[in-house]
Structure formats: structure tokens, C-alpha cells
């Protein structure tokens, strides 16, 4: 896999290679992707599956 691979942050929609992923606490099915800047700023996210919001 190349280093250009990344994931789209659910908060800002930007493609990022520095991200964290975790299961949605609401539905435990959707994987939430957040880039580093959104994580540090605690930007709000919304699960695309169950619409749970989180900090
Ligand atoms: Zn982001
Ligand atoms: Zn969810």
C-alpha cells in the first residue's frame, strides 16, 4: 500500500493520511474516521449510519 492512501474525515470531508478510526458508539457498525486536526479541535462528527453526534 502506498503512503498516498488515506481516509476521508467525517467532520471536514478532507482526505487525510493522519487519521484515527473508531467504531460509532451509537450503532457500533459504522467506522468513524477523523483526521488529526479535527480530533485536536474536537470538531463535531455525525455518524452516516445512525446520525449519532459526538465530540
Ligand atoms: Zn477533519
Ligand atoms: Zn452510528
Amino acid at each position: 500500500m502506498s503512503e498516498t492512501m488515506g481516509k476521508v474525515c467525517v467532520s471536514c470531508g478532507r482526505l487525510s493520511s493522519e487519521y484515527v478510526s473508531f467504531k460509532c458508539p451509537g450503532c457500533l457498525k459504522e467506522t468513524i474516521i477523523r483526521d488529526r486536526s479535527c480530533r485536536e479541535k474536537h470538531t463535531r462528527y455525525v455518524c452516516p449510519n445512525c446520525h449519532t453526534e459526538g465530540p
Side-chain angles (χ1 to χ4, degrees):
M1 286 299 184
S2 84
E3 289 178 25
T4 55
M5 290 289 287
K7 297 276 190 182
V8 176
C9 170
V10 296
S11 293
C12 66
R14 278 187 228 155
L15 194 66
S16 175
S17 57
E18 283 189 89
Y19 61 87
V20 292
S21 63
F22 55 94
K23 292 286 184 197
C24 167
C27 61
L28 299 176
K29 287 180 182 172
E30 201 69 29
T31 301
I32 306 294
I33 306 291
R34 295 178 88 201
D35 61 21
R36 202 171 78 175
S37 67
C38 286
R39 188 173 59 117
E40 288 175 353
K41 285 186 246 171
H42 302 289
T43 308
R44 176 169 299 227
Y45 67 84
V46 180
C47 172
N49 184 47
C50 69
H51 306 295
T52 292
E53 294 185 18

